[in-house]
Amino acid sequence: MMSDTGPSPIQRKSLHLELVDRLQPLIIGGELVPGSKVPEKELCDRFGVSRTPMREALKVLASDGLIRLEPNRGAWVTIVTISEVEEVFPVLGALEALSGKLACESITPAELDEVSDLHAQMIASYERRDLDAYFSINQKIHRAILMAARNDTLTASCQALSLRMQRARYLANMTEGRWYDAVQEHERILQYLLARDGENLAQTLLEHMEAKRQSVVRWLQAQEQEAAE
Amino acid sequence: MMSDTGPSPIQRKSLHLELVDRLQPLIIGGELVPGSKVPEKELCDRFGVSRTPMREALKVLASDGLIRLEPNRGAWVTIVTISEVEEVFPVLGALEALSGKLACESITPAELDEVSDLHAQMIASYERRDLDAYFSINQKIHRAILMAARNDTLTASCQALSLRMQRARYLANMTEGRWYDAVQEHERILQYLLARDGENLAQTLLEHMEAKRQSVVRWLQAQEQEAAE
DNA sequence: TGACTTAATTATGAATTCAAAATTACCGTG
DNA sequence: CACGGTAATTTTGAATTCATAATTAAGTCA
């Protein structure tokens, strides 16, 4: 159902890109702990590659902000700071708002069906309080809207920033109240999308991001508090 | 006058980052011709480095979209296509609009003076039809607004996309009419910034980008036409 | 014991090497 | 002469090597 990027590319991806794809989940999944050192040698052994392609991959991940390279001291998994959240969410908001506007212009009935379907699934996971499923489907919805916007540059930019925000399991933490609100927001998002009302969809996505930002910042502040004790 | 990123970093940048910084101007300046092969060995000789850091740099540049890596066939300088322009400018528009909004909240009187000064210089270069100076100052203005927005993530995103649009000398080509309009737009941009009118500044920056997009696309279409003959 | 040196070890950055792929040059055949 | 195929050359991707910087361990002395 997803739009294909091309006719089955036979070309083997270069090793370093393969590694980028493999390392990303380790970082956002928390297996590589934020603030800890990236165990270069260990990862080389694990993936059965030499240091050269691994280090190339680390350079790319660093340019995406997922890790930090300290000269002569190796690579470190970056941590999500409050100030970074305050920076990234407004940018992400602007980009998602644009994606909503563009999606309304280009989305097909089939794609609308798909989003509706995903939305229903998301509601179902909300009702049985399945947070993991909820988050997974939630992301699929945002991605589906992005796809419908038909703008690969926009997709890539959103993707990169989203990854940075997913580094920890922080986002998977919501109060019951915030969760309810988020679902309401998504209800509006779906309605505006179905109505192809770009302006209101953009506005709602912006508010959605702003609310998410607040929620994440609150949680991080609570974490800080906790750590101080 | 520009805000310093920190207290004189003694730490030597890693070689590959140094190379990224050195290669970028070669690409956007057109010395590395769009569509041509990146002469890896030649560049290694020129900068006196081995292939390892050079190849690391190329991987990073590729992830920024300035070059394209074809497996087993080397690196190629990407060309600015019409469809890419149609993609990038709307994204850049959204980001610049945000930067305008944020700048209105945080810009200092000293920074406002600086922008006013740059604006005056830009008008002067317009009046003597000095396109190179005009473009250079123009960029400084956009960058100053970006700095005033106090959002490094936003700055980095804008920077990356701007670079992609600067790859050729295409942008330095404007009709007399378009040039005049651009100056008028910049007049409004300055006024809204001085008035700290975020909403209108954002809107104007958006329109500015849209106009620029149209102008660049027209020029590229003309180029295509020319090439076909 | 504990701070300060100094030596051993390890990790990092970058050059070099090597196998595989792609390109070019060469050559025979129709 | 054009075409197809094979061998030589070059380029690329990735492993290995090597010098240097950083870290750890050991030893010295107050």
Side-chain angles (χ1 to χ4, degrees):
Chain A
M1 273 308 94
M2 283 273 97
S3 70
D4 211 350
T5 40
S8 72
I10 297 180
Q11 59 180 16
R12 179 106 192 74
K13 227 185 297 192
S14 64
L15 208 35
H16 90 278
L17 274 184
E18 188 71 40
L19 287 171
V20 166
D21 286 348
R22 303 268 206 138
L23 293 174
Q24 273 177 356
L26 298 189
I27 296 172
I28 66 173
E31 184 171 336
L32 292 178
V33 182
S36 72
K37 200 163 189 317
V38 177
E40 186 183 296
K41 191 165 165 30
E42 196 180 310
L43 290 171
C44 288
D45 292 347
R46 173 162 171 185
F47 292 115
V49 300
S50 75
R51 287 177 60 219
T52 306
M54 178 61 71
R55 290 170 58 78
E56 289 170 349
L58 294 180
K59 305 280 189 278
V60 172
L61 290 171
S63 97
D64 288 342
L66 291 182
I67 65 177
R68 228 159 55 84
L69 299 176
E70 285 193 37
N72 293 318
R73 298 206 52 244
W76 302 75
V77 184
T78 50
I79 54 181
V80 184
T81 63
I82 291 180
S83 69
E84 187 186 7
V85 169
E86 300 274 23
E87 273 194 2
V88 173
F89 273 94
V91 179
L92 214 37
L95 295 180
E96 290 239 345
L98 176 61
S99 86
K101 215 175 295 176
L102 295 176
C104 284
E105 296 169 11
S106 314
I107 197 165
T108 64
E111 287 173 319
L112 279 176
D113 283 350
E114 194 195 326
V115 174
S116 299
D117 188 51
L118 285 169
H119 183 80
Q121 290 177 40
M122 193 182 73
I123 299 298
S125 28
Y126 166 65
E127 280 168 356
R128 63 175 194 278
R129 296 297 184 278
D130 182 344
L131 198 53
D132 282 344
Y134 177 86
F135 262 92
S136 160
I137 300 166
N138 185 315
Q139 285 199 68
K140 282 184 189 161
I141 291 172
H142 284 281
R143 180 183 296 257
I145 296 175
L146 216 40
M147 288 295 122
R150 316 275 187 254
N151 186 321
D152 289 343
T153 301
L154 180 57
T155 301
S157 300
C158 274
Q159 190 62 24
L161 294 178
S162 283
L163 277 183
R164 281 174 58 184
M165 291 295 92
Q166 285 168 34
R167 258 167 302 170
R169 307 225 31 78
Y170 300 152
L171 301 187
N173 206 299
M174 292 197 289
T175 62
E176 177 62 32
R178 170 60 201 142
W179 200 354
Y180 175 82
D181 290 345
V183 169
Q184 297 309 308
E185 287 156 22
H186 261 276
E187 198 66 57
R188 293 174 55 206
I189 288 169
L190 179 64
Q191 292 315 317
Y192 285 132
L193 185 62
L194 289 172
R196 293 172 180 276
D197 181 346
E199 283 305 317
N200 277 312
L201 177 55
Q203 183 59 33
T204 307
L205 284 166
L206 203 59
E207 289 164 9
H208 184 56
M209 272 294 152
E210 164 60 14
K212 198 163 176 180
R213 195 216 81 207
Q214 257 186 39
S215 153
V216 173
V217 166
R218 290 237 174 78
W219 198 82
L220 282 176
Q221 281 169 340
Q223 287 292 103
E224 265 185 13
Q225 206 64 20
E226 216 172 277
E229 281 159 21
Chain B
M1 275 306 97
M2 284 272 98
S3 71
D4 212 350
T5 39
S8 71
I10 296 181
Q11 60 181 15
R12 179 107 191 74
K13 227 186 295 191
S14 65
L15 208 36
H16 88 279
L17 275 183
E18 187 71 39
L19 286 171
V20 167
D21 287 347
R22 303 267 206 139
L23 293 174
Q24 273 178 354
L26 298 189
I27 297 171
I28 65 174
E31 185 172 337
L32 292 178
V33 182
S36 72
K37 200 165 189 317
V38 177
E40 186 184 296
K41 191 166 165 28
E42 196 180 309
L43 290 171
C44 288
D45 293 345
R46 173 163 172 183
F47 292 115
V49 300
S50 76
R51 285 177 61 220
T52 306
M54 178 61 70
R55 288 171 59 79
E56 289 170 350
L58 294 181
K59 306 279 190 279
V60 172
L61 290 171
S63 97
D64 288 343
L66 291 182
I67 65 178
R68 228 160 52 86
L69 299 176
E70 286 193 36
N72 294 319
R73 298 207 50 246
W76 302 76
V77 183
T78 50
I79 53 181
V80 184
T81 63
I82 291 180
S83 70
E84 187 187 7
V85 169
E86 301 274 22
E87 272 194 2
V88 173
F89 273 95
V91 180
L92 213 37
L95 295 180
E96 291 240 345
L98 176 60
S99 85
K101 215 175 296 177
L102 294 176
C104 284
E105 295 169 12
S106 314
I107 197 165
T108 64
E111 287 174 319
L112 279 176
D113 283 350
E114 194 194 327
V115 174
S116 298
D117 189 51
L118 285 169
H119 183 80
Q121 289 177 40
M122 194 182 74
I123 299 298
S125 28
Y126 167 65
E127 281 168 355
R128 61 175 194 277
R129 295 297 185 278
D130 182 344
L131 199 53
D132 283 343
Y134 177 87
F135 261 92
S136 161
I137 299 167
N138 186 315
Q139 285 200 74
K140 282 184 189 162
I141 291 173
H142 284 279
R143 179 182 296 258
I145 295 174
L146 216 40
M147 288 295 122
R150 317 275 187 252
N151 187 320
D152 289 343
T153 301
L154 180 58
T155 301
S157 300
C158 275
Q159 191 61 25
L161 294 178
S162 283
L163 277 183
R164 281 174 59 184
M165 292 295 93
Q166 285 167 35
R167 258 167 304 170
R169 307 223 33 77
Y170 299 152
L171 302 186
N173 207 298
M174 292 196 289
T175 62
E176 177 63 30
R178 171 58 201 144
W179 200 354
Y180 176 81
D181 289 345
V183 169
Q184 297 309 308
E185 286 156 22
H186 262 276
E187 197 68 55
R188 291 174 56 205
I189 288 169
L190 179 65
Q191 292 315 317
Y192 285 132
L193 185 62
L194 289 172
R196 293 172 179 280
D197 182 345
E199 283 306 317
N200 277 312
L201 177 55
Q203 184 59 34
T204 307
L205 284 166
L206 203 59
E207 290 165 8
H208 184 56
M209 272 295 152
E210 164 60 14
K212 198 163 175 178
R213 194 216 83 207
Q214 257 187 39
S215 153
V216 173
V217 166
R218 290 237 175 80
W219 199 83
L220 283 176
Q221 282 169 338
Q223 287 292 104
E224 265 185 13
Q225 205 64 21
E226 215 172 278
E229 282 160 20

